[in-house]
Amino acid sequence: MKRSPQVSLFLMMLAAAAWHAFAQDNAGQLSIRVTDRLGLGISCAVEIVNRANQYHQIFTTSDDGRLTVKDLQQGVYLLQIDDPQFAPVSQSVAVGSTQSASATIHLLPLADPATDPTLETELSVQGLPLTVNRSPDFGLVPEATTDDQQTWESVGIPAEDAQKAGAVVAVHTKRADQSLHGRLVFSGGSYDSAGGYGRLQLSAGRNIVTATASGARTSHYLNPVVPENYTNAGTPADFAIDLARDFTPSDHFAAIVRHRLSRYEIPNENLQQAAGQVQTGDDLETIGSASYQHLLSSQAVLNTEGMVRDGQHDLYSNDASTPIIATQHNSFRQVYFSSALSAQRGRHAWKVGVEADSASLHENFQDQITDPSQFDPGTPATFSFSGQQPDLEQAAFVQDIIRMGPWTLNAGLRWDHYQLILNQNAVSPRVSLSRYFSSADLILHLSYARLFVPPSSNNILLSSSTAVESLNPNVFRLPVQPSHGDNYEGGLSKGFFGQLRMDLDIYRRTANNYPDYDPFLNTGVNFPIAFTRATLYGADGTLDLPHWAKLSGSLSYSYMVANRWFPVSGGLLLGEKDVDRRTRDTGHIPDALDQRNVLETRFDYQWFRRFFVAGGAAYGSGLPFDSDTTFREALQEYGEPVVRRINFARSRVRPTFSAQAFAGVDLYQEGKVHVLFEADGGNLNNRLNVIYFGGLFSGNSVGPAHNFGLRLVTNF
């Protein structure tokens, strides 16, 4: 029987309504809250991605940091946030059908590379990898914070990412939801600290222009070696312009020009301060990059990126420096290119790509011994080295993300080639599997990752050169091998009563040629080294209360056992005692990360609509050290307060503890203008927290005393 047009139209409308009702019944909702370390909401862009569902959107949180996204299909979504003043964050959250999910994200200040002596971090800006070196060299330190716990995810990493063995964080261009958007921040506090930050974004048609600038000054730039905080002033600055244009709905272009600089002093020990030593350093970096994205179809996209990066690190020492006057002028030019093709077909999300990274390294080092008693007889009073060499690295990868109902499988393979002092290739498989139980609000996950980690290129030409043989007949010279590691991880994420979320992870990581660095006295100069092997295992747990009435908070605990095995290769090992201790010893010692117990907590209370208070505490059971320094020598170099915090019998730093308090108030809010005032106090118990104790493979490091910070934030 032939239907009339009116009946056909009615049936189509009825079917559409039924489908819409079905979609609504099977759609979830996601509530997001983004705050800074003071607990105040942050207006920022949040990128939400689920490749299995072909979902990729960018939203902007409100001025109080809140965002609600509706009509999401069931699955695990990746939340990515970038703010120029904070460390980028990537976090996964499971959204179930007919259920509401929530996520609270606390943004931390940019990490201080000088506080992490063991791992590198690969920062991906617009898809371009920028490796933050382990040592202070080539490391800009916008804010020297050591109370914030730093964690690294080196497992469950797709094949496209993480050649380096540290965190992988992604930074993407933000798109404002208004034609003009800006942010001004003025800050100040203890240690004569003051700073300013400005950001202005203009959106006009298909074009977006973003300009940022920041500068700061502090007398507590690096972690000092003694509580007196001698010679520790620093001044960082950063300037950037970001241009983005959509030529067509299928073609997007972006370009960034950025310049960063940092000038600072190297903190003195007691003996160096008494002698009148002054050492200063500077780091300069200029980056130019461009990226192009072309949508080949609704299910395929091609991304191409390129970058040129110039970096420079200088070290200067005055004539009163002891036991050595060290001068260093290192620089590099890096050229990077990558291209990747992504395609979605059924349950599969494929991605294949290639990378090419070349750097021209230049090293220039001189020293003059001023205290011969600290060196073996016959060591030349002066030494100089100058060298240059290309660092060539290439990679290719293929990966597939397969979505099978509540199951998600990510399998990939990566090939890397490294050529500097050595010439090596490696193939790295990576696989992760997760299962979502919607009725129990539970996610179970397992992963394995094989990592290939080239050694740090900082001062690697000098430590590998035959020129160091002139320093001492007992010098040991063996090139640092790239590290090969196997990382296993398993865990779960469980929600309770729609209010609490518990995350548990256990892991085991093994590596050959485990990378570390060797500090050269207290000069700020470091050399890459590698232990024969290392094993790290442990567990992490977090209990998060995103929002309960006016209260929110979290409690986290981590347990880690980490050991590394002799002998050691690389570094600048001078003298018979030095060579024997590091290259002929057998057995193992604890790794610098071997802090068995770490407990942190923080709770926020929104007292009034415009006012909040918060408090927190952090406890660490103490890091290990391996040192030939005697009690008397340590007393002279670091002083009695530091020595009291050292357990020489256990070769461990005594436990650390610090309490923090925070408060914030909305001063003004009208339309798009929002003015906030924030205050925080750190180490309120004023405990002397020794982080590292001066040993063979780590410098001394002391946390800050009780301190405060003030910040005025204006968003418009």
mmCIF file of all heavy atoms in Angstrom, residues 487-507:
data_model
loop_
_atom_site.group_PDB
_atom_site.id
_atom_site.type_symbol
_atom_site.label_atom_id
_atom_site.label_comp_id
_atom_site.label_asym_id
_atom_site.label_seq_id
_atom_site.Cartn_x
_atom_site.Cartn_y
_atom_site.Cartn_z
ATOM 1 N N ASN A 487 58.613 -2.001 30.974
ATOM 2 C CA ASN A 487 57.753 -1.427 31.998
ATOM 3 C C ASN A 487 56.397 -2.127 32.004
ATOM 4 O O ASN A 487 55.732 -2.217 30.964
ATOM 5 C CB ASN A 487 57.550 0.073 31.754
ATOM 6 C CG ASN A 487 58.847 0.835 31.761
ATOM 7 O OD1 ASN A 487 59.819 0.396 32.370
ATOM 8 N ND2 ASN A 487 58.883 1.957 31.085
ATOM 9 N N TYR A 488 56.007 -2.624 33.180
ATOM 10 C CA TYR A 488 54.739 -3.322 33.336
ATOM 11 C C TYR A 488 53.888 -2.557 34.346
ATOM 12 O O TYR A 488 54.398 -2.067 35.358
ATOM 13 C CB TYR A 488 54.961 -4.746 33.846
ATOM 14 C CG TYR A 488 55.911 -5.561 33.009
ATOM 15 C CD1 TYR A 488 57.284 -5.511 33.248
ATOM 16 C CD2 TYR A 488 55.448 -6.385 31.986
ATOM 17 C CE1 TYR A 488 58.174 -6.256 32.488
ATOM 18 C CE2 TYR A 488 56.322 -7.145 31.219
ATOM 19 C CZ TYR A 488 57.688 -7.069 31.478
ATOM 20 O OH TYR A 488 58.567 -7.815 30.725
ATOM 21 N N GLU A 489 52.578 -2.502 34.074
ATOM 22 C CA GLU A 489 51.702 -1.756 34.961
ATOM 23 C C GLU A 489 50.310 -2.372 34.933
ATOM 24 O O GLU A 489 49.845 -2.883 33.904
ATOM 25 C CB GLU A 489 51.641 -0.294 34.529
ATOM 26 C CG GLU A 489 50.731 0.600 35.361
ATOM 27 C CD GLU A 489 49.352 0.780 34.739
ATOM 28 O OE1 GLU A 489 49.141 0.291 33.602
ATOM 29 O OE2 GLU A 489 48.494 1.381 35.391
ATOM 30 N N GLY A 490 49.650 -2.330 36.072
ATOM 31 C CA GLY A 490 48.265 -2.759 36.162
ATOM 32 C C GLY A 490 47.571 -1.978 37.248
ATOM 33 O O GLY A 490 48.197 -1.536 38.219
ATOM 34 N N GLY A 491 46.266 -1.810 37.095
ATOM 35 C CA GLY A 491 45.571 -1.040 38.109
ATOM 36 C C GLY A 491 44.087 -0.973 37.865
ATOM 37 O O GLY A 491 43.532 -1.632 36.974
ATOM 38 N N LEU A 492 43.437 -0.136 38.673
ATOM 39 C CA LEU A 492 41.996 0.026 38.561
ATOM 40 C C LEU A 492 41.613 1.434 38.966
ATOM 41 O O LEU A 492 42.359 2.148 39.652
ATOM 42 C CB LEU A 492 41.263 -0.997 39.449
ATOM 43 C CG LEU A 492 41.524 -0.960 40.955
ATOM 44 C CD1 LEU A 492 40.599 0.030 41.670
ATOM 45 C CD2 LEU A 492 41.329 -2.337 41.565
ATOM 46 N N SER A 493 40.428 1.822 38.514
ATOM 47 C CA SER A 493 39.821 3.092 38.897
ATOM 48 C C SER A 493 38.371 2.797 39.250
ATOM 49 O O SER A 493 37.621 2.272 38.427
ATOM 50 C CB SER A 493 39.905 4.104 37.755
ATOM 51 O OG SER A 493 39.297 5.325 38.123
ATOM 52 N N LYS A 494 37.972 3.110 40.491
ATOM 53 C CA LYS A 494 36.655 2.721 40.981
ATOM 54 C C LYS A 494 35.950 3.912 41.607
ATOM 55 O O LYS A 494 36.537 4.662 42.385
ATOM 56 C CB LYS A 494 36.810 1.623 42.044
ATOM 57 C CG LYS A 494 35.514 1.176 42.720
ATOM 58 C CD LYS A 494 34.646 0.357 41.779
ATOM 59 C CE LYS A 494 33.443 -0.257 42.520
ATOM 60 N NZ LYS A 494 32.425 0.745 42.866
ATOM 61 N N GLY A 495 34.690 4.110 41.216
ATOM 62 C CA GLY A 495 33.874 5.149 41.799
ATOM 63 C C GLY A 495 32.984 4.610 42.898
ATOM 64 O O GLY A 495 32.531 3.454 42.846
ATOM 65 N N PHE A 496 32.717 5.442 43.914
ATOM 66 C CA PHE A 496 31.868 5.051 45.025
ATOM 67 C C PHE A 496 30.811 6.125 45.266
ATOM 68 O O PHE A 496 31.153 7.301 45.462
ATOM 69 C CB PHE A 496 32.684 4.859 46.309
ATOM 70 C CG PHE A 496 33.704 3.759 46.238
ATOM 71 C CD1 PHE A 496 35.014 4.045 45.863
ATOM 72 C CD2 PHE A 496 33.365 2.450 46.533
ATOM 73 C CE1 PHE A 496 35.969 3.039 45.803
ATOM 74 C CE2 PHE A 496 34.307 1.436 46.476
ATOM 75 C CZ PHE A 496 35.602 1.726 46.104
ATOM 76 N N PHE A 497 29.551 5.710 45.238
ATOM 77 C CA PHE A 497 28.425 6.563 45.614
ATOM 78 C C PHE A 497 28.331 7.849 44.794
ATOM 79 O O PHE A 497 27.705 8.812 45.216
ATOM 80 C CB PHE A 497 28.497 6.928 47.104
ATOM 81 C CG PHE A 497 28.859 5.790 47.996
ATOM 82 C CD1 PHE A 497 30.071 5.789 48.677
ATOM 83 C CD2 PHE A 497 28.013 4.703 48.132
ATOM 84 C CE1 PHE A 497 30.418 4.733 49.500
ATOM 85 C CE2 PHE A 497 28.359 3.641 48.960
ATOM 86 C CZ PHE A 497 29.555 3.643 49.644
ATOM 87 N N GLY A 498 28.969 7.863 43.632
ATOM 88 C CA GLY A 498 28.935 9.059 42.814
ATOM 89 C C GLY A 498 29.702 10.222 43.389
ATOM 90 O O GLY A 498 29.613 11.346 42.883
ATOM 91 N N GLN A 499 30.480 10.007 44.457
ATOM 92 C CA GLN A 499 31.206 11.082 45.123
ATOM 93 C C GLN A 499 32.703 10.832 45.208
ATOM 94 O O GLN A 499 33.504 11.748 45.033
ATOM 95 C CB GLN A 499 30.655 11.283 46.543
ATOM 96 C CG GLN A 499 29.243 11.796 46.605
ATOM 97 C CD GLN A 499 29.124 13.242 46.169
ATOM 98 O OE1 GLN A 499 30.105 13.969 46.122
ATOM 99 N NE2 GLN A 499 27.911 13.656 45.845
ATOM 100 N N LEU A 500 33.087 9.594 45.492
ATOM 101 C CA LEU A 500 34.491 9.255 45.672
ATOM 102 C C LEU A 500 35.021 8.489 44.469
ATOM 103 O O LEU A 500 34.276 7.760 43.805
ATOM 104 C CB LEU A 500 34.677 8.392 46.926
ATOM 105 C CG LEU A 500 34.516 9.060 48.285
ATOM 106 C CD1 LEU A 500 34.542 8.006 49.376
ATOM 107 C CD2 LEU A 500 35.612 10.085 48.513
ATOM 108 N N ARG A 501 36.307 8.651 44.203
ATOM 109 C CA ARG A 501 36.971 7.835 43.177
ATOM 110 C C ARG A 501 38.321 7.394 43.715
ATOM 111 O O ARG A 501 39.092 8.198 44.238
ATOM 112 C CB ARG A 501 37.147 8.595 41.862
ATOM 113 C CG ARG A 501 37.910 7.789 40.811
ATOM 114 C CD ARG A 501 37.582 8.227 39.403
ATOM 115 N NE ARG A 501 36.210 7.928 39.057
ATOM 116 C CZ ARG A 501 35.795 6.758 38.576
ATOM 117 N NH1 ARG A 501 36.656 5.768 38.408
ATOM 118 N NH2 ARG A 501 34.542 6.569 38.273
ATOM 119 N N MET A 502 38.568 6.097 43.570
ATOM 120 C CA MET A 502 39.824 5.523 44.025
ATOM 121 C C MET A 502 40.598 5.010 42.818
ATOM 122 O O MET A 502 40.051 4.299 41.970
ATOM 123 C CB MET A 502 39.555 4.367 44.995
ATOM 124 C CG MET A 502 40.825 3.681 45.502
ATOM 125 S SD MET A 502 40.460 2.336 46.660
ATOM 126 C CE MET A 502 39.587 1.189 45.583
ATOM 127 N N ASP A 503 41.876 5.373 42.745
ATOM 128 C CA ASP A 503 42.767 4.905 41.683
ATOM 129 C C ASP A 503 43.933 4.157 42.315
ATOM 130 O O ASP A 503 44.607 4.696 43.211
ATOM 131 C CB ASP A 503 43.296 6.074 40.851
ATOM 132 C CG ASP A 503 42.196 6.749 40.060
ATOM 133 O OD1 ASP A 503 41.766 6.180 39.049
ATOM 134 O OD2 ASP A 503 41.768 7.844 40.470
ATOM 135 N N LEU A 504 44.176 2.928 41.861
ATOM 136 C CA LEU A 504 45.274 2.111 42.349
ATOM 137 C C LEU A 504 46.094 1.615 41.171
ATOM 138 O O LEU A 504 45.535 1.184 40.153
ATOM 139 C CB LEU A 504 44.755 0.911 43.144
ATOM 140 C CG LEU A 504 43.993 1.197 44.443
ATOM 141 C CD1 LEU A 504 43.455 -0.096 45.026
ATOM 142 C CD2 LEU A 504 44.885 1.911 45.444
ATOM 143 N N ASP A 505 47.420 1.668 41.289
ATOM 144 C CA ASP A 505 48.313 1.178 40.244
ATOM 145 C C ASP A 505 49.495 0.473 40.889
ATOM 146 O O ASP A 505 50.044 0.948 41.888
ATOM 147 C CB ASP A 505 48.841 2.337 39.379
ATOM 148 C CG ASP A 505 47.755 2.957 38.529
ATOM 149 O OD1 ASP A 505 47.469 2.406 37.459
ATOM 150 O OD2 ASP A 505 47.204 3.991 38.949
ATOM 151 N N ILE A 506 49.885 -0.637 40.300
ATOM 152 C CA ILE A 506 51.125 -1.304 40.673
ATOM 153 C C ILE A 506 51.992 -1.393 39.431
ATOM 154 O O ILE A 506 51.472 -1.481 38.305
ATOM 155 C CB ILE A 506 50.878 -2.707 41.268
ATOM 156 C CG1 ILE A 506 50.115 -3.590 40.272
ATOM 157 C CG2 ILE A 506 50.137 -2.609 42.585
ATOM 158 C CD1 ILE A 506 49.967 -5.020 40.736
ATOM 159 N N TYR A 507 53.303 -1.358 39.600
ATOM 160 C CA TYR A 507 54.184 -1.322 38.438
ATOM 161 C C TYR A 507 55.518 -1.990 38.758
ATOM 162 O O TYR A 507 55.916 -2.124 39.912
ATOM 163 C CB TYR A 507 54.429 0.119 37.991
ATOM 164 C CG TYR A 507 55.022 0.991 39.067
ATOM 165 C CD1 TYR A 507 56.399 1.056 39.267
ATOM 166 C CD2 TYR A 507 54.203 1.750 39.901
ATOM 167 C CE1 TYR A 507 56.943 1.838 40.265
ATOM 168 C CE2 TYR A 507 54.741 2.540 40.904
ATOM 169 C CZ TYR A 507 56.111 2.577 41.074
ATOM 170 O OH TYR A 507 56.652 3.356 42.071
#
